[in-house]
Amino acid sequence: MARTVSAIQTRADTTKTLLYKVPPKNTGLWNMMYIISLVGNETPKVYWYDATNATEYFIVGGKNLGVGEYVLLSDAHVALKENDEIRVQNTGTNSTTYIATIELRPAEAIQFHG
């Protein structure tokens, strides 16, 4: 059975940080992301870390947001596997809120018998 979870953080520093990590024995469908600038101008960055391949992918960046402006990612999906991560980072010290929504499902086990 699927369940939907949302992760939210407000950042005011330049440290790349974990927003959400898919729990063990689950898969996820990342289907929505809001990035909202609360104070000043900010150029937020969002990354997907693929744990299976130990590779980080740059998802969002290069969009300068003014106060109250936002980026909404929807109608695009990223298929996440267990231990995959969504990471976020500000380029400055202005407050930015990040909200991601993920639909989680139990991972299907495949067993091979020899």
Side-chain angles (χ1 to χ4, degrees):
M1 178 188 329
R3 64 185 171 103
T4 302
V5 297
S6 290
I8 183 169
Q9 270 189 34
T10 298
R11 308 290 308 166
D13 59 45
T14 60
T15 304
K16 187 184 297 181
T17 189
L18 175 68
L19 178 67
Y20 187 77
K21 183 175 183 175
V22 178
K25 299 182 182 178
N26 282 268
T27 61
L29 189 60
W30 179 16
N31 54 29
M32 192 278 297
M33 181 85 195
Y34 262 116
I35 307 164
I36 307 159
S37 177
L38 302 175
V39 180
N41 292 324
E42 189 58 69
T43 307
K45 297 178 183 177
V46 178
Y47 303 87
W48 161 38
Y49 176 73
D50 180 352
T52 302
N53 298 312
T55 304
E56 185 177 73
Y57 298 96
F58 189 55
I59 302 295
V60 176
K63 172 67 175 158
N64 189 34
L65 299 177
V67 177
E69 293 182 327
Y70 65 92
V71 172
L72 170 61
L73 301 177
S74 61
D75 297 327
H77 300 91
V78 176
L80 304 172
K81 295 177 282 262
E82 66 179 346
N83 298 315
D84 281 5
E85 299 178 355
I86 300 170
R87 299 172 177 172
V88 297
Q89 182 179 24
N90 286 1
T91 55
T93 57
N94 294 307
S95 290
T96 305
T97 296
Y98 299 87
I99 305 169
T101 298
I102 303 99
E103 182 179 310
L104 291 177
R105 293 186 182 273
E108 295 181 18
I110 300 174
Q111 296 181 2
F112 297 95
H113 300 281

